[in-house]
């Protein structure tokens, strides 16, 4: 290796290394190996002189400082700056919920770049196609409004992609210029872009209000409002509606349906996007995979009641259903053991049927597994972050396991949520060290994890940067998960879901123990075969 | 019918699905290349048709995501609501060396996270305060760029005034980039706007800002690498090749680049530009202002690498030319070995491409080095000069689609049934559901590098593993009607 100085004006000697690995003839090296080889390491050093880089000592000094309480205080004094937030913007949630309805094309009215981002983000998480269109508004629309774009956009998307419904939300551009969606859609119909009776539910989803869960709420309400108009009957249809909120685990919808079938409950899942985000490969591309039939969604107004699993994702929809439909709404969190117990008890009460034996046995198996591994989890200090409801259910489960939530970061928090969760923490001996950090971001969390270290981090893929910096093992639970495959296909709901959560958590801890004890003749005294 | 005629028919069929007005607009963006033509015959850089499912992004994506984002030791603020920065966070794989959060910031997201009150009362004060906070928390940052999101331009904020004031106070560059997403028709205008900010806000102060390496003497062999974003590490094998032929790369703008490298650029003798589309503007400016020439090169595949090395060397003296020949000769055996391994598995396979920047043309010869044939290509956001250059690369009968819609791309693929589709993440799973092998050509599908000789080996391996993947043969189930 070349001497490690910033002022090495001579380029490294070997500038034409073979494309094949030295160690293994014929082995092609990609970025994982190639850039670790000497010639590349040397050229990186050589390049530093042109970079105007700070000295390595200075970088190390500041790096250490970022781990201190002093830095933490300065970091928490921030008022204007957000760094690495754990929230997205409204339209993402709108597109997500829209995709669960039959033949529905999500449509975003405003600048076109937004849709490219939403589609990319959802696609990267689910490894599934996500189709949505845009009004493609540009400067002239900024001046004159986006009416012409919508008239053309609706006509084109309707003709080309033959949807049964177009679910329309807005980007912040359309919101700032104040486009009147209701009037624009009607004008588009009057101009013949789409038939008069074609459903185009809409929602105002400004990115500068709330987050992706707000957009979910707004679009869900918009869709239900549109589809249930004049559908109210004298009597109920005997069904119950279920909504899972911005829940990226499509396995949860399938698990819910299985549970409901075991109870023989007639149901409508409001936004069943299980197939939209997990469709079989048949060799044929199917554009629409939303499983909630429009007819069923329209009839949801006549149900006995509607269950919600994400209270803080759906406040407007719930209030509206109570007021406009006069329908009972229920909030449950069927995650972990007790959360599932409560939900099943309610189903049992509503149906007058006992909880099916199959589920009782599953409960026993999940509890058995938790008991088997409890020694590895009990007392472990945990940092976690995500949407309010996501975090809520995880905290419930961690407390059941005897793990101790310590740092709870919720960028898109709200006071009611914090109060309710605080009560749960206060009621558990394992919750006494926890702080809910509402409206904080992952750079705040970094300071928290350096100054008050924890054993485990639970979060989405962005948590890997905290893993790298603080060496806290990461359990990937949340959205988005870009760097592990197929997590979204599993369920986290119900007893089966509890088993999955448990499996991910305990085996991350055990993997980490192996990583820590893998150095021969040094740490491998604890490299145990049996754990 | 000739291929040209057949594909012309296909275009007609595909257009039939549109309403009349849209069909008319889209028809100008689709054509078939005929041998001997100096252009591809399509209109480009026009507004996308609303509702057709364009793959295009926006000016912000071009400015923040492409041009400025990779400058690793500056902080790039996504100024406005939270989404734009969130979706583009760590999405492009611009590799860099550095301690993230301390002296480099590439895989972080900085945003002013606009709330309703910021829209109503304006965000300039917040922005000023935000930059103060950056200074406290990230003292080693070498400057800031402010990438405006849509609302900024609509509410009349004066980010330039904030930038001027803060640059003075911090003694570091603060660059306001007016890349609101509604500007222009695609990410392309964002590239241009970002280039212009280099021209207007950085280069005039280059001498003041520049930190020369100790003992630095200008040399006749000083060059800049312009427009290589170091995706999957692309710029590094490119740099190594240029150094190997005796040139001195004094700046990479912007892949793995720093602010200092940006202000080093005027000292070079020649700008070597990889992505012409996104960086030609600054090269033209530097030619005009500093008399620095610029040269496009293509480091995809051994044929083009050799051609480009010779073209570059021809700008210099005989030593460099001899070096170039030596390097090309040195890699001959490796390249023969790669081709011997993969060409038999890929010979005759057909490809449809749709990417941005330079790749819809530049990658064609790399496929050809492997015996593959590109039968369709197009740009997300190309201009007329891109399609003109493309004419040098494509063969008779190649179908050309500009700003292709979801519908068009699917229909072309169904009819032409290529062995591989090479496009972006939004397209990937559509085609994989159609049982068509696919590689992402923006992110290298999480692989790379693809540039240079080292990159070609990886490229060859990846194309083989996509096409000759055994799971394709599992898709058809044993019970379905044949």
């Amino acid at each position: 290796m070349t001497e490690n100085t910033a002022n090495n004006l001579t380029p490294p000697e070997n500038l034409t290394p073979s494309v094949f690995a030295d160690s293994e003839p014929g082995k092609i090296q990609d970025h994982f190996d190639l850039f670790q080889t000497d010639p590349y390491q040397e050229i990186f050093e050589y390049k530093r002189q042109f970079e105007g880089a700070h000295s390595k000592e200075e970088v190390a000094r500041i790096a250490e400082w970022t781990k201190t309480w002093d830095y933490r205080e300065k970091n928490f004094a921030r008022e204007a700056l957000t760094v690495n937030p754990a929230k997205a913007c409204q339209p993402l949630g709108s597109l997500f919920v829209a995709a669960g309805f039959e033949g529905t094309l999500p449509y975003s009215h405003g600048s076109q770049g937004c849709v490219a981002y939403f589609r990319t983000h959802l696609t990267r998480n689910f490894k599934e196609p996500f189709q949505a269109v845009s009004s493609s508004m540009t400067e002239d629309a900024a001046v004159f409004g986006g009416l012409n774009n919508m008239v053309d956009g609706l006509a084109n998307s309707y003709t080309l992609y033959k949807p049964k419904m177009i679910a329309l939300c807005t980007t912040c551009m359309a919101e700032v210029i104040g486009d009147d969606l209701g009037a624009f859609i009607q004008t588009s119909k009057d101009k013949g872009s789409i038939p008069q009776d074609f459903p185009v539910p809409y929602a105002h989803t400004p990115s500068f209000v709330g987050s992706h869960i707000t957009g979910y709420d707004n679009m869900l309400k918009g869709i239900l409002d549109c589809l249930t108009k004049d559908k109210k009957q004298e009597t109920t249809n005997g069904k119950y509606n279920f909504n899972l909120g911005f829940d990226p685990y499509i396995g949860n919808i399938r698990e819910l349906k299985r549970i409901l079938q075991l109870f023989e409950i007639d149901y409508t899942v409001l936004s069943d996007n299980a197939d939209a985000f997990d469709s079989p490969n048949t060799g044929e591309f199917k554009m629409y995979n939303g499983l909630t039939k429009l007819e069923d969604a329209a009839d949801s107004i006549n149900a006995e009641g509607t269950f919600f699993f994400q209270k803080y994702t759906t406040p407007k929809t719930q209030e509206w259903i109570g007021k406009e439909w006069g329908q009972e709404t229920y909030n449950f969190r069927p995650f972990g053991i007790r959360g599932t117990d409560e939900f099943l008890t309610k189903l049992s009460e509503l149906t007058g049927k006992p909880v099916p034996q199959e589920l009782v046995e599953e409960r026993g198996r999940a509890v058995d597994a938790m008991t088997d591994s409890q020694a590895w989890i009990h007392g472990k200090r945990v940092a976690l972050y995500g949407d309010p409801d996501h975090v809520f259910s995880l905290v419930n489960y961690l407390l059941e396991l005897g793990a101790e939530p310590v740092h709870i970061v919720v960028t898109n928090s709200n006071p009611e949520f914090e109060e309710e969760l605080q009560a749960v923490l206060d009621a558990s001996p394992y919750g006494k060290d926890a702080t809910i950090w509402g409206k904080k971001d992952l750079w705040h969390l970094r300071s928290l994890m350096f100054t008050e270290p924890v054993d485990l981090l639970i979060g989405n893929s962005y948590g890997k940067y905290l893993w790298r910096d603080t060496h806290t093992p990461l359990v990937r639970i949340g959205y988005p998960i870009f760097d592990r495959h197929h997590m979204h296909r599993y369920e986290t709901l119900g007893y089966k879901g509890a088993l999955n959560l448990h499996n991910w958590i305990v085996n991350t801890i055990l993997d980490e123990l192996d990583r820590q004890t893998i150095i021969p003749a040094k740490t491998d005294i604890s490299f145990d075969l049996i754990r | 019918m000739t291929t040209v005629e057949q594909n012309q028919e296909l275009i007609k069929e595909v257009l039939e699905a549109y309403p009349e007005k849209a069909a008319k607009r889209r028809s100008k963006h689709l054509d078939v290349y005929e041998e001997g033509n100096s252009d591809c015959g399509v209109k480009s850089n026009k507004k996308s048709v609303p509702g057709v499912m364009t793959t295009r992004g926006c000016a912000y994506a071009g400015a923040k995501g492409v041009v400025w984002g990779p400058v690793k030791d500056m902080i790039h603020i996504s100024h406005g609501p939270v989404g734009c920065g969130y979706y583009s966070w760590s999405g492009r794989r611009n590799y860099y060396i550095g301690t993230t959060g301390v002296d480099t910031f590439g895989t972080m997201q900085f945003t002013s996270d606009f709330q309703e009150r910021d829209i109503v009362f304006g965000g300039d004060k917040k922005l000023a305060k935000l930059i103060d906070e950056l200074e406290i928390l990230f003292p080693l940052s070498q400057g800031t760029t402010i990438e405006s999101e849509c609302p900024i331009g609509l509410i009349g904020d004066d980010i330039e005034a904030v930038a001027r004031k803060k640059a003075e106070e911090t003694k570091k560059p603060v660059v306001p980039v007016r890349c609101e997403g509604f500007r222009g028709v695609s990410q392309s205008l964002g590239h241009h706007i970002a280039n212009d900010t280099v021209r207007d806000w950085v280069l005039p102060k280059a001498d003041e800002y520049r930190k020369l390496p100790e003992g630095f003497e200008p040399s006749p062999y000083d060059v800049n690498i312009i427009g290589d974003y170091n995706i999957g590490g692309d710029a590094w094998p490119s740099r190594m090749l240029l150094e190997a032929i005796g040139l001195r790369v004094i700046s990479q703008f912007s892949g793995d680049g720093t602010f200092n490298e940006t202000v080093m650029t005027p000292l070079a003798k020649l700008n070597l530009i990889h992505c012409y589309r996104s960086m030609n503007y600054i090269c033209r400016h530097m030619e005009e202002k500093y008399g620095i020439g610029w040269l496009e090169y293509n480091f995809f595949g051994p044929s083009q690498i050799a051609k480009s090395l010779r073209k570059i060397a021809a700008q210099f003296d005989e030593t460099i030319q001899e070096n170039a020949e030596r390097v090309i000769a040195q890699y001959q055996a490796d390249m023969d070995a790669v081709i011997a391994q993969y060409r038999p598995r890929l010979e005759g396979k057909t490809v449809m491409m749709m990417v941005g920047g330079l790749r819809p043309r530049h990658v064609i010869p790399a496929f050809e080095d492997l015996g593959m044939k590109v039968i369709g290509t197009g740009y997300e956001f190309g201009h007329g000069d891109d399609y003109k250059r493309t004419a040098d690369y494509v063969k008779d009968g190649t179908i050309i689609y500009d700003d292709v819609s979801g519908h068009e791309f699917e229909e072309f693929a169904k009819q032409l049934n290529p062995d591989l589709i090479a496009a972006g993440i939004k397209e990937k799973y559509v085609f994989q559901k159609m049982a068509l092998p696919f590689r992402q050509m923006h992110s290298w599908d999480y692989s790379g590098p693809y540039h240079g000789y080292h990159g070609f080996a990886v490229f060859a391996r990846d194309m083989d593993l996509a096409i000759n993947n055994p799971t394709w043969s599992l898709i058809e189930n044993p019970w379905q009607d044949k």
Side-chain angles (χ1 to χ4, degrees):
Chain A
M1 288 275 297
T2 317
E3 190 63 22
N4 200 5
T5 65
N7 303 313
N8 182 4
L9 281 169
T10 343
E13 267 169 36
N14 182 7
L15 290 164
T16 51
S18 167
V19 306
F20 301 111
D22 288 345
S23 52
E24 203 184 323
K27 184 183 187 279
I28 289 166
Q29 307 170 95
D30 60 19
H31 59 91
F32 289 102
D33 323 301
L34 187 63
F35 301 134
Q36 301 309 316
T37 59
D38 285 349
Y40 278 98
Q41 289 290 312
E42 285 164 23
I43 209 156
F44 297 156
E45 274 306 317
Y46 171 69
K47 180 177 179 289
R48 269 181 72 81
Q49 65 187 319
F50 303 105
E51 293 185 340
H54 296 281
S55 73
K56 289 186 174 176
E57 295 70 31
E58 179 67 353
V59 174
R61 190 181 69 81
I62 297 294
E64 281 309 308
W65 171 62
T66 66
K67 302 174 185 174
T68 62
W69 279 92
D70 177 52
Y71 189 87
R72 171 172 164 168
E73 276 155 28
K74 291 184 167 69
N75 192 7
F76 275 73
R78 266 192 276 150
E79 288 174 357
L81 170 66
T82 297
V83 187
N84 298 353
K87 66 169 183 181
C89 67
Q90 284 209 46
L92 184 81
S94 301
L95 267 63
F96 179 88
V97 67
F101 291 89
E102 175 192 5
T104 299
L105 180 65
Y107 184 119
S108 166
H109 180 62
S111 304
Q112 73 193 8
C114 312
V115 170
Y117 278 144
F118 309 143
R119 291 179 64 203
T120 296
H121 215 259
L122 291 163
T123 298
R124 282 179 177 156
N125 184 75
F126 293 104
K127 302 201 184 295
E128 288 288 322
F130 190 91
Q131 306 294 84
V133 297
S134 163
S135 276
S136 295
M137 283 158 65
T138 55
E139 278 126 324
D140 52 343
V143 178
F144 301 112
L147 175 62
N148 291 337
N149 296 67
M150 196 190 290
V151 171
D152 286 349
L154 286 177
N156 291 334
S157 53
Y158 174 76
T159 312
L160 211 50
Y161 296 113
K162 301 178 178 53
K164 291 186 175 160
M165 176 163 89
I166 292 175
L168 196 146
C169 65
T170 50
T171 75
C172 47
M173 177 206 184
E175 289 297 326
V176 173
I177 64 175
D179 277 1
D180 182 345
L181 297 185
F184 283 15
I185 293 167
Q186 191 51 52
T187 307
S188 302
K189 288 184 172 178
D190 294 344
K191 291 193 168 199
S193 296
I194 43 173
Q196 285 289 349
D197 59 353
F198 184 80
V200 186
Y202 65 89
H204 289 280
T205 50
S207 312
F208 45 82
V209 175
S211 69
H212 54 289
I213 59 176
T214 321
Y216 183 102
D217 195 18
N218 286 334
M219 193 75 243
L220 177 61
K221 178 170 163 280
I223 289 171
L224 295 178
D225 189 14
C226 172
L227 292 177
T228 61
K229 208 151 273 168
D230 305 324
K231 300 288 181 184
K232 185 79 177 169
Q233 305 281 328
E234 291 296 312
T235 53
T236 69
N237 59 17
K239 291 182 176 183
Y240 285 92
N241 305 318
F242 293 85
N243 171 267
L244 288 91
F246 193 96
D247 182 340
Y249 292 91
I250 53 87
N252 286 346
I253 299 184
R254 293 178 185 154
E255 178 62 3
L256 169 69
K257 291 196 280 196
R258 188 182 70 92
I259 292 170
L260 297 175
Q261 279 154 15
L262 287 170
F263 272 102
E264 296 174 317
I265 290 174
D266 208 357
Y267 63 85
T268 303
V269 175
L270 293 176
S271 184
D272 185 345
N273 50 23
D275 280 16
F277 292 119
D278 184 24
S279 66
N281 195 328
T282 59
E284 208 177 310
F285 168 62
K286 222 175 116 199
M287 181 153 165
Y288 300 110
N289 295 290
L291 291 176
T292 305
K293 291 208 162 28
L294 298 190
E295 200 184 316
D296 291 343
D299 199 29
S300 63
I301 192 172
N302 297 311
E304 299 283 341
T306 303
F307 283 78
F308 289 89
F309 296 163
Q310 289 193 356
K311 187 174 164 183
Y312 297 105
T313 301
T314 53
K316 280 188 209 154
T317 305
Q318 293 204 37
E319 196 198 333
W320 178 81
I321 284 181
K323 222 163 90 188
E324 299 293 319
W325 294 5
Q327 205 179 87
E328 191 81 43
T329 54
Y330 308 95
N331 280 287
F332 282 90
R333 302 183 186 284
F335 299 89
I337 302 302
R338 291 204 183 88
T340 306
D341 290 351
E342 283 166 21
F343 175 59
L344 298 188
T345 304
K346 185 70 187 177
L347 293 184
S348 170
E349 186 190 305
L350 289 174
T351 56
K353 292 175 191 168
V355 172
Q357 188 55 27
E358 192 175 329
L359 295 176
V360 176
E361 282 174 20
E362 281 169 18
R363 184 187 192 282
R365 287 191 192 101
V367 172
D368 189 54
M370 288 161 68
T371 306
D372 292 346
S373 321
Q374 60 85 22
W376 297 103
I377 298 179
H378 191 113
K380 288 279 183 293
R381 289 159 55 84
V382 182
L384 69 159
Y385 63 89
D387 295 341
D389 295 289
H390 170 77
V391 158
F392 208 120
S393 296
L394 275 175
V395 167
N396 276 336
Y397 185 56
L398 291 170
L399 296 176
E400 285 182 341
L401 284 164
E404 297 175 10
V406 177
H407 312 304
I408 303 170
V409 171
V410 181
T411 310
N412 48 358
S413 186
N414 65 73
E416 299 77 32
F417 153 74
E418 288 171 29
E419 200 181 316
E420 192 188 346
L421 184 61
Q422 191 60 53
V424 169
L425 292 163
D426 290 344
S428 166
Y430 304 104
K432 64 182 188 324
D433 283 345
T435 308
I436 305 165
W437 297 99
K439 307 271 178 192
K440 298 295 182 231
D441 54 43
L442 302 187
W443 196 253
H444 290 116
L445 182 55
R446 186 177 184 272
S447 278
L448 294 171
M449 289 171 68
F450 273 125
T451 50
E452 296 177 82
V454 293
D455 302 304
L456 203 64
L457 171 66
I458 302 181
N460 58 18
S461 284
Y462 292 115
K464 78 188 298 175
Y465 300 129
L466 294 166
W467 176 25
R468 175 195 58 197
D469 290 357
T470 69
H471 306 293
T472 314
L474 169 67
V475 190
R476 286 170 180 78
I477 304 172
Y479 175 91
I481 295 178
F482 291 153
D483 64 335
R484 292 293 182 273
H485 291 199
H486 313 306
M487 305 290 282
H488 64 274
R489 296 181 209 269
Y490 291 86
E491 62 276 335
T492 60
L493 178 146
Y495 302 125
K496 283 193 161 185
L499 201 54
N500 282 328
L501 291 172
H502 181 65
N503 179 16
W504 298 335
I505 292 170
V506 73
N507 285 324
T508 300
I509 293 172
L510 295 175
D511 277 348
E512 177 64 16
L513 286 175
D514 283 346
R515 272 192 291 268
Q516 285 172 6
T517 58
I518 206 161
I519 306 169
K522 188 170 165 64
T523 63
D524 75 340
I525 40 179
S526 308
F527 195 65
D528 278 315
L529 180 68
I530 308 156
R531 294 202 198 269
Chain B
M1 270 202 291
T2 64
T3 314
V4 173
E5 287 164 347
Q6 266 172 14
N7 286 346
Q8 292 288 11
E9 277 306 304
L10 174 57
I11 289 172
K12 266 191 212 143
E13 271 169 46
V14 166
L15 284 169
E16 276 167 17
Y18 284 101
E20 203 185 328
K21 186 176 161 193
K24 203 172 158 204
R25 278 175 73 178
R26 285 303 308 154
S27 67
K28 296 172 184 156
H29 296 264
L30 307 172
D31 210 337
V32 183
Y33 178 73
E34 288 180 59
E35 198 64 61
N37 287 0
S38 62
D39 189 64
C40 295
V42 295
K43 282 240 186 295
S44 58
N45 196 32
K46 300 285 180 214
K47 279 186 207 170
S48 297
V49 179
V52 303
M53 209 171 331
T54 172
T55 59
R56 281 174 168 178
C58 63
Y60 163 89
K64 189 262 187 181
V66 176
V67 175
W68 272 116
V71 177
K72 63 183 178 179
D73 60 355
M74 294 178 89
I75 289 175
H76 310 290
I77 305 168
S78 296
H79 186 41
V82 73
C84 315
Y86 191 75
Y87 306 120
S88 56
W89 181 6
S90 290
R92 249 174 84 80
R93 302 187 68 233
N94 312 109
Y95 280 6
Y96 63 92
I97 310 282
T99 308
T100 301
V102 180
D103 67 343
T104 47
F105 310 94
T107 50
M108 295 173 70
Q109 190 213 340
F110 297 88
T111 175
S112 45
D113 188 13
F114 259 38
Q115 301 300 304
E116 201 147 25
R117 62 178 177 275
D118 302 313
I119 301 288
V120 177
F121 299 112
D124 286 342
K125 278 188 189 152
K126 188 178 200 177
L127 178 62
K129 188 172 203 179
L130 186 155
I131 294 171
D132 292 341
E133 291 172 359
L134 288 176
E135 278 305 299
I136 297 168
L137 293 173
F138 306 100
L140 299 188
S141 114
Q142 305 278 18
T144 304
T145 71
I146 305 159
E147 273 79 15
S148 296
E149 300 169 7
C150 286
I152 304 303
L154 298 170
I155 61 174
D157 273 10
D158 190 354
I159 61 167
E160 288 79 6
V162 178
R164 262 183 226 107
K165 184 160 175 280
K166 287 295 150 190
E168 207 168 291
E169 284 174 21
T170 60
K171 310 285 175 225
K172 290 180 186 176
V174 181
V175 183
V177 190
R178 283 277 178 189
C179 54
E180 287 88 348
F182 59 82
R183 293 190 197 278
V185 302
S186 68
Q187 44 272 67
S188 180
L189 188 64
H191 307 142
H192 197 154
I193 290 167
N195 275 231
D196 287 355
T197 61
V198 176
R199 180 193 65 194
D200 298 338
W201 291 79
V202 178
L203 295 185
K205 288 188 168 181
D207 294 340
E208 189 184 318
Y209 283 129
R210 187 183 303 119
K211 288 182 264 182
L212 283 177
E214 215 174 291
F216 179 86
E217 291 293 334
S219 125
Y221 303 124
D222 288 348
V223 297
N224 303 317
I225 294 181
I226 304 288
D228 186 325
Y229 301 106
N230 207 32
I231 290 166
D234 278 340
W236 292 326
S238 305
R239 180 185 190 109
M240 198 179 267
L241 270 177
L242 297 172
E243 304 272 6
I245 66 168
L247 301 178
R248 182 168 72 170
V249 178
I250 62 167
S251 169
Q252 288 176 210
F253 189 72
S254 57
D256 190 41
T258 63
F259 179 73
N260 196 58
E261 287 172 77
T262 312
V263 292
M264 287 290 288
T265 53
L267 303 183
K269 298 295 172 298
L270 185 67
N271 273 324
L272 295 172
I273 178 168
H274 203 250
C275 181
Y276 168 83
R277 178 72 276 127
S278 57
M279 289 284 197
N280 76 87
Y281 319 101
I282 199 65
C283 291
R284 291 175 196 277
H285 167 71
M286 289 173 71
E287 183 173 40
E288 209 174 287
K289 173 102 189 213
Y290 308 105
I292 301 172
W294 52 282
L295 191 69
E296 291 171 64
Y297 67 99
N298 179 351
F299 275 175
F300 288 106
S303 307
Q304 283 296 322
I305 298 171
K307 203 171 157 188
S308 289
L309 284 177
R310 288 184 177 123
K311 191 167 85 171
I312 293 165
Q315 305 289 315
F316 298 92
D317 56 29
E318 277 177 13
T319 324
I320 303 292
Q321 290 161 20
E322 280 161 22
N323 287 344
E325 291 307 326
R326 182 177 47 78
V327 169
I328 294 165
Q330 231 168 325
Y331 277 105
Q332 190 65 48
D334 276 6
M335 289 300 101
D336 289 348
V338 169
I339 288 167
Q341 186 175 351
Y342 292 107
R343 188 163 178 143
R345 299 167 62 83
L346 296 169
E347 188 77 54
K349 301 287 185 193
T350 55
V351 187
M352 284 175 70
M353 250 198 296
M354 193 283 296
V355 214
L358 59 129
R359 293 161 179 178
R361 61 176 179 274
H362 271 199
V363 188
I364 293 173
F367 281 120
E368 288 168 352
D369 284 338
L370 293 167
M372 300 168 73
K373 195 180 163 209
V374 174
I375 57 169
T377 193
Y379 297 79
E380 255 185 74
F381 49 81
H383 295 208
D385 46 6
D386 291 303
Y387 285 102
K388 223 174 157 44
R389 284 165 166 75
T390 307
D392 296 338
Y393 284 95
V394 290
K395 300 281 183 296
D396 191 58
T398 305
I399 195 158
I400 309 288
Y401 29 79
D402 175 67
D403 182 22
V404 74
S405 71
H407 158 76
E408 292 160 12
F409 206 7
E410 282 160 49
E411 289 305 313
F412 288 145
K414 272 185 207 160
Q415 298 303 320
L416 300 175
N417 198 29
D419 297 297
L420 180 77
I421 297 193
I425 183 67
K426 302 191 290 297
E427 295 76 62
K428 180 176 171 98
Y429 302 101
V430 171
F431 293 114
Q432 290 196 170
K433 294 280 187 210
M434 291 162 67
L436 287 169
F438 189 99
R439 284 298 292 188
Q440 289 181 67
M441 280 291 140
H442 299 259
S443 67
W444 303 149
D445 234 314
Y446 323 120
S447 177
Y450 280 179
H451 291 176
Y453 291 113
H454 294 156
F456 178 69
V458 182
F459 174 81
R461 179 199 71 182
D462 289 353
M463 298 312 125
D464 173 49
L465 64 81
I467 290 173
N468 296 309
N469 147 40
T471 68
W472 299 123
S473 68
L474 301 173
I475 289 172
E476 197 171 300
N477 70 53
W479 318 285
Q480 72 196 58
D481 294 331
K482 296 279 156 71

